[in-house]
Amino acid sequence: RPSPVKVVAEAAGIPVYQPKSLRSEEAAAPLRAWQPDVIVVAAFGQILRPHVLDLPPHGCVNVHASLLPRWRGASPIQHALMAGDAETGICLMRMDPGLDTGPVYVCQSTAITATDTAATLHDRLAEMGAALLAERLDDILHGRIAPTPQDDAQTTYAPMIKKEDGRIQWTQPAAAIDRHIRAMTPWPGAFTLWQGQVLKILAAHPSVHDLAGASGQIFPSKDGQTAVVATGSGSLHLQTVQLSGKRALDAAEFLRGRPDFIGSRLED
């Protein structure tokens, strides 16, 4: 479906150009014709080449969802969650030919909570990025903010998330698995294998208490209502699960239909 920007632009009679790529100079011809003062990029997914970067007199400004130079790359939100970062944020940076390597104009931070997922953090950062851009773009255009070079020695990278990255490794500590589940929500979803079937873990919470079993082994909770999984360190209480081709279920409801779940083992 069209983005909100496209809907508003078309309603106002503003032309919308959606090339699959801007790698060729021919693809950038409409941009040259429009003679923009500045180009703003947000989650564009392409590295712009010099024939685009050098086109506007005030350059290209990227709204990046991390506190640069931490988490340069395609998936900064997910990697901040998986790493257990206490905070993340938004940076407005002047783009150069590198991967998120340009100097930074301004940043704004936000705490990462124990219940944040990639979805909740994405939405919060989107709102922050829009507000920060609206507030500071005029300062950028009039030279009231000078961009500061990044400290390359502090760089970390956030490569693109692939579907297979959602697979849970039960030998990891429970706290790390909890962060992994939240980082993979909503896509690609954290999953494991149970009796040869894909089982998505949609929600869970970690415990520091170890269980006397191999990693991935399933035990009943103390009240017998839900399931707890042994991990490399601590344990994970399942809250919401979804078997392949089935609807998502509360873990207690899932157990009532599959009592053989207790005592079995989830595969790495």
Side-chain angles (χ1 to χ4, degrees), residues 14-78:
I14 299 171
V16 176
Y17 178 51
Q18 291 184 284
K20 290 185 178 179
S21 171
L22 284 172
R23 289 179 182 173
S24 71
E25 295 201 20
E26 293 76 13
L31 297 182
R32 288 195 297 274
W34 292 333
Q35 297 182 321
D37 294 312
V38 65
I39 292 175
V40 174
V41 172
F44 188 56
Q46 296 181 33
I47 294 179
L48 298 183
R49 300 196 173 187
H51 64 267
V52 176
L53 292 173
D54 298 339
L55 178 62
H58 294 285
C60 299
V61 177
N62 182 25
V63 185
H64 185 76
S66 83
L67 297 175
L68 292 168
R70 188 162 179 79
W71 304 128
R72 294 175 180 173
S75 305
I77 295 173
Q78 292 91 337

Side-chain angles (χ1 to χ4, degrees), residues 1 33 44 65-66 70 92 104 155 180 213 217 242 256 259 261:
R1 63 175 184 237
F44 188 56
S66 83
R70 188 162 179 79
L92 305 183
V104 174
T155 299
H180 179 84
Q217 189 170 348
Q242 183 177 19
R256 287 194 291 271
F261 189 63

Side-chain angles (χ1 to χ4, degrees), residues 36-267:
D37 294 312
V38 65
I39 292 175
V40 174
V41 172
F44 188 56
Q46 296 181 33
I47 294 179
L48 298 183
R49 300 196 173 187
H51 64 267
V52 176
L53 292 173
D54 298 339
L55 178 62
H58 294 285
C60 299
V61 177
N62 182 25
V63 185
H64 185 76
S66 83
L67 297 175
L68 292 168
R70 188 162 179 79
W71 304 128
R72 294 175 180 173
S75 305
I77 295 173
Q78 292 91 337
H79 282 85
L81 280 165
M82 286 190 289
D85 289 0
E87 64 175 4
T88 186
I90 288 289
C91 285
L92 305 183
M93 57 162 285
R94 179 156 181 152
M95 299 177 71
D96 65 14
L99 179 63
D100 300 324
T101 54
V104 174
Y105 288 106
V106 62
C107 295
Q108 185 177 353
S109 64
T110 182
I112 298 177
T113 73
T115 58
D116 265 325
T117 66
T120 62
L121 203 50
H122 168 278
D123 291 352
R124 188 157 78 250
L125 291 171
E127 294 284 349
M128 288 173 55
L132 188 63
L133 181 70
E135 178 186 348
R136 303 311 297 269
L137 183 58
D138 197 54
D139 291 334
I140 292 172
L141 296 179
H142 288 85
R144 291 190 290 266
I145 304 178
T148 302
Q150 297 183 41
D151 181 359
D152 291 340
Q154 302 299 316
T155 299
T156 58
Y157 286 97
M160 185 178 295
I161 296 292
K162 303 180 292 296
K163 189 173 183 179
E164 55 266 31
D165 292 331
R167 188 158 183 168
I168 296 170
Q169 302 296 321
W170 294 105
T171 52
Q172 292 289 310
I177 296 173
D178 167 59
R179 296 194 301 268
H180 179 84
I181 292 168
R182 292 186 286 117
M184 297 297 114
T185 301
W187 192 90
F191 70 92
T192 185
L193 293 181
W194 178 63
Q195 296 184 351
Q197 301 179 78
V198 172
L199 180 71
K200 283 192 173 183
I201 311 297
L202 303 180
H205 66 271
S207 169
V208 297
H209 300 295
D210 290 321
L211 298 174
S215 298
Q217 189 170 348
I218 305 165
F219 295 82
S221 59
K222 287 184 178 180
D223 60 8
Q225 298 300 306
T226 186
V228 185
V229 186
T231 71
S233 175
S235 52
L236 194 75
H237 292 249
L238 303 184
Q239 293 174 281
T240 310
V241 299
Q242 183 177 19
L243 202 58
S244 181
K246 306 293 183 180
R247 65 184 179 92
L249 294 173
D250 177 89
E253 184 179 357
F254 180 82
L255 277 181
R256 287 194 291 271
R258 292 173 174 81
D260 59 331
F261 189 63
I262 298 296
S264 63
R265 189 176 177 186
L266 301 173
E267 301 176 32

